[in-house]
Amino acid sequence: MAISWLSTSTAGRCIHSSANAHPLRLVVGHHGPLAARTSARRSISSSGQAPKSEARPRSRMLEGVLLGAGLTLALSYYAQSKSIRLDGANVGHGSDSVHAPPTKTTKHDQLPEPLESHKYASKQEIQQAIEELRKVLPEEGIVLTDPDILTTYGHSDNSYHPTSPHSVVVRPRSTEDVVHIVNIARKYRVPIVPYSGATSLEGHFSGYPTGDICIDMSGMDKILEIHEADGDVVVQAGVPWEELNRTLKDKGIPLFFPLDPGPGATIGGMIGTGCSGTNAVRYGTAKGEWFLNITAVLPNGKVIKTRRRARKSSAGFDLTKIFIGAEGTLGVVTEATLRLAPAVPTRVAMAQFPDVQHAVSAVQEILNSPNGPHLQCIELLDDKMMAAINNAGEVSRKLPISDTLFFKIQGSEDAIGTTAAAVRATTARHGSTRFEFAQTDEEAEELWESRKYALISTIGSEPGARCWTTDVCVPPSKLPQLVSETKKDLAENKLKSTIVGHVGDGNFHALILFKDDKELQLVSDAVHRLVRRAIRMDGTCTGEHGVGVGKKEYLVEELGADTVELMKTIKRAIDPLNIMNPSKLYPDTERSADGH
């Protein structure tokens, strides 16, 4: 499932060291270049050899209702799990049926302890699980235990979290393979960490401290069915979104999948983190209607499909949405049906401003105008980002160093022309000092280069520095204030940073550089203030990076204790043994004596 998650470090404010931790790694960001990382992982051969280099508390009555509901759900699950042999489990959709292999009820199939106090498999039990995995999945290159491989899969160049190796990496090729893995993990109570694109930033996919099974979904990368007439496609979870769009284009199909979280991201991970990207202004996010259904393997080994392929359904509540943003904590997504959009002619425009406030203030007027629907992207690059891009030498031509908005405008030739003229007039009223509109595809590509290379340019702007990338999102009308206060805060603390934002939907990213522990602490404090600032403005701690471990400390403040408890109630009901990506997403409460 491409769900790229996990880490052993806690809360996003600080970076913890460990016996296995490598020095802090360079953060490229979730839109950054991942070719080296992906190449290193995918270069692991079929023989399994890895490259060596590599709150708002509500009434007690509501609390009682929630807890009662949780107990009822958990007891219901318990009753089902006592017959967990699964010899009849299947998806139940005709030819799509997936039969799960039988398994015996174990001593672990019982009502669980509280979520944070689970105890997992011993080292000896993990070895027994590995041996059983080898028997069930005997093909060479499927079950991997080489130490270099385990370290590679427990590390990300794009995260500030320390390396934390896994106990074993398993590379399934089918939903049936995933069922085998989940059944063995449940039998021995071994945590499962889904993995694929490895593009996440918030500590989603490094190893669990007591040991775990890392499921690498990247081998499940088949495009199964294309329904051009219906405008949808069925894919396995390891399919990269870029590869999907290339395939559609190569086949001459005038459709595309519009979610674009960044290079290297795969469909399962996009589901897990509830992604979006630059196209969110026009097309929304993963939590819209882009995922029509998913196939998932639950912690009890059963395989479900959340709904059929119809464009809409009112048959019960939306089970698909439960898995979107769950970060692999409720099950392993193996397939999905994606809704596609028509490919529309697109041009690029750029407007520059004397300061960020003038730039951001123009955005809402543009979006709320009659021409707003023709805007596909509105991206902010601040003056420091433009300077970094010019200095990096990645672009074909340098642009003036100024706070800049980039626009993608789509539609017919007349619609594009009319919208471009309206955007030019609006930006002029807000103090724009320069406006440029690309007349051809070639000009559009050249102009968009500056946005394309924004993050990699920041990384190279300060030799020897590392980078912490974070994001928040607020109601668009609050964005000018948020950006202004954040830039002032960063300047007062003498932190080197750049800002890039999907400002059309109130989402922006701060990329903050640091060279030593002293600067790192300053960065950590600045990120903490940024998140709290956004929440005070009725915003969110994470616009599109997910929660992982890096931002789970903020969820109670953002959502309220009762809402978070409802999330935990659902988690306990579906995963009573807490083997699915434990320690992610859900805020910590109490910890047991052994630290779990």
Side-chain angles (χ1 to χ4, degrees), residues 56-350:
R56 299 188 302 271
R58 300 186 176 92
S59 69
R60 292 187 177 181
M61 180 180 294
L62 177 57
E63 180 179 359
V65 170
L66 288 169
L67 294 175
L71 181 59
T72 300
L73 288 168
L75 285 170
S76 173
Y77 184 96
Y78 172 64
Q80 290 180 340
S81 68
K82 294 304 285 184
S83 58
I84 219 160
R85 295 177 179 82
L86 304 175
D87 32 30
N90 62 79
V91 174
H93 289 351
S95 61
D96 290 335
S97 294
V98 178
H99 293 277
T103 185
K104 296 181 179 179
T105 302
T106 75
K107 63 181 180 180
H108 300 309
D109 297 328
Q110 54 188 326
L111 197 64
E113 302 165 349
L115 188 64
E116 285 79 22
S117 62
H118 282 279
K119 295 180 180 178
Y120 297 104
S122 65
K123 290 184 179 179
Q124 181 180 0
E125 288 172 317
I126 290 174
Q127 290 305 310
Q128 291 173 339
I130 292 172
E131 291 306 312
E132 195 162 330
L133 286 167
R134 288 196 172 109
K135 291 177 182 177
V136 174
L137 302 170
E139 184 181 342
E140 187 176 9
I142 299 297
V143 180
L144 310 175
T145 55
D146 182 281
D148 290 323
I149 294 174
L150 303 181
T151 298
T152 297
Y153 277 79
H155 162 75
S156 173
D157 289 331
N158 310 299
S159 173
Y160 54 86
H161 297 284
T163 296
S164 183
H166 303 281
S167 301
V168 59
V169 173
V170 188
R171 308 177 76 187
R173 295 294 182 267
S174 66
T175 297
E176 293 91 333
D177 286 354
V178 176
V179 170
H180 283 299
I181 298 166
V182 170
N183 284 340
I184 292 170
R186 184 183 66 256
K187 175 180 177 180
Y188 292 97
R189 207 162 179 168
V190 184
I192 292 173
V193 181
Y195 177 106
S196 184
T199 64
S200 68
L201 293 172
E202 297 297 348
H204 290 97
F205 59 83
S206 56
Y208 193 76
T210 62
D212 67 89
I213 298 170
C214 176
I215 304 182
D216 177 7
M217 301 296 293
S218 63
M220 293 182 62
D221 58 356
K222 295 181 176 62
I223 299 173
L224 302 174
E225 301 169 6
I226 299 174
H227 305 119
E228 182 175 355
D230 296 325
D232 65 58
V233 59
V234 182
V235 301
Q236 290 183 312
V239 171
W241 69 273
E242 297 161 298
E243 182 61 32
L244 171 60
N245 283 336
R246 276 193 295 268
T247 299
L248 294 169
K249 185 176 181 179
D250 291 346
K251 289 181 176 293
I253 297 173
L255 301 170
F256 79 116
F257 186 59
L259 302 185
D260 63 335
T266 56
I267 297 302
M270 293 164 70
I271 291 171
T273 55
C275 76
S276 53
T278 64
N279 289 337
V281 171
R282 173 65 178 82
Y283 296 103
T285 76
K287 294 184 178 182
E289 292 294 324
W290 295 107
F291 297 99
L292 297 179
N293 65 52
I294 64 169
T295 299
V297 180
L298 300 179
N300 65 0
K302 293 186 178 181
V303 181
I304 66 161
K305 188 182 286 290
T306 54
R307 55 181 265 202
R308 291 183 181 267
R309 199 165 54 84
R311 278 293 181 99
K312 63 180 182 179
S313 171
S314 59
F317 55 84
D318 196 338
L319 285 171
T320 304
K321 296 283 178 59
I322 289 180
F323 288 89
I324 297 175
E327 303 185 2
T329 64
L330 302 180
V332 181
V333 175
T334 60
E335 295 179 11
T337 301
L338 318 178
R339 182 177 176 180
L340 303 175
V344 182
T346 304
R347 292 286 182 268
V348 175
M350 177 199 75

Side-chain angles (χ1 to χ4, degrees), residues 345-348 416 438-448:
T346 304
R347 292 286 182 268
V348 175
I416 289 175
Q439 300 285 343
T440 66
D441 289 341
E442 291 74 19
E443 290 177 2
E445 176 64 26
E446 183 181 49
L447 192 57
W448 192 253

Side-chain angles (χ1 to χ4, degrees), residues 500-574:
V500 57
H502 314 315
V503 291
D505 50 20
N507 181 203
F508 92 107
H509 307 259
L511 293 82
I512 314 174
L513 301 173
F514 60 92
K515 287 187 174 181
D516 54 36
D517 289 344
K518 180 180 179 181
E519 288 186 352
L520 174 59
Q521 185 59 54
L522 292 173
V523 172
S524 177
D525 292 342
V527 169
H528 189 67
R529 290 192 298 272
L530 168 60
V531 171
R532 290 263 154 76
R533 189 178 300 125
I535 293 174
R536 286 197 303 270
M537 295 180 183
D538 209 14
T540 177
C541 64
T542 174
E544 57 184 17
H545 291 179
V547 175
V549 294
K551 291 201 171 164
K552 65 182 183 178
E553 68 170 295
Y554 304 110
L555 285 198
V556 171
E557 183 176 351
E558 178 177 329
L559 302 176
D562 291 333
T563 301
V564 171
E565 181 55 34
L566 180 57
M567 291 171 58
K568 289 185 175 184
T569 298
I570 295 169
K571 165 70 169 173
R572 282 190 288 262
I574 296 175

Side-chain angles (χ1 to χ4, degrees), residues 16 49 102 145 300 310 358 382 390 456 479 505 518 522 535:
H16 298 272
Q49 296 302 311
T145 55
N300 65 0
H358 281 83
D382 75 349
N390 285 345
I456 189 174
L479 191 60
D505 50 20
K518 180 180 179 181
L522 292 173
I535 293 174

